[in-house]
Amino acid sequence: MLMMVEYLHQDKKSGIFKYRRRVPDELRDVLGKREWVISLRTRDPERARQERDKVHRQIKAELATLS
């Protein structure tokens, strides 16, 4: 069963999961990018969810310091 998990995407060719999240408009100039794309280095959906949670916490902390 396939579940949709926010910011979690699987590459169609390699099967590797990635964390993808849009950078807020007001921070694009500060960060110099439009989105975060971070490889989670796994093809396992359960491990990808766990890694996504770690990366998501890091991104939220970064956003909190910039806001």
Side-chain angles (χ1 to χ4, degrees), residues 2-61:
L2 183 63
M3 282 182 46
M4 294 296 295
V5 178
E6 193 172 32
Y7 310 124
L8 187 63
H9 299 272
Q10 189 173 22
D11 185 88
K12 289 181 176 152
K13 287 186 177 182
S14 69
I16 299 289
F17 283 93
K18 296 179 181 183
Y19 177 90
R20 289 186 64 182
R21 182 176 181 173
R22 188 177 69 79
V23 172
D25 294 337
E26 62 274 6
L27 296 176
R28 285 184 181 174
D29 290 335
V30 174
L31 294 174
K33 55 185 161 186
R34 295 176 51 93
E35 70 178 341
W36 286 280
V37 180
I38 301 166
S39 175
L40 300 176
R41 300 180 309 269
T42 185
R43 290 181 179 94
D44 178 45
E46 185 58 37
R47 174 119 190 261
R49 281 189 216 102
Q50 294 168 358
E51 292 299 318
R52 184 214 75 100
D53 292 343
K54 290 177 190 175
V55 172
H56 187 66
R57 283 192 297 273
Q58 292 171 349
I59 297 294
K60 281 178 64 174

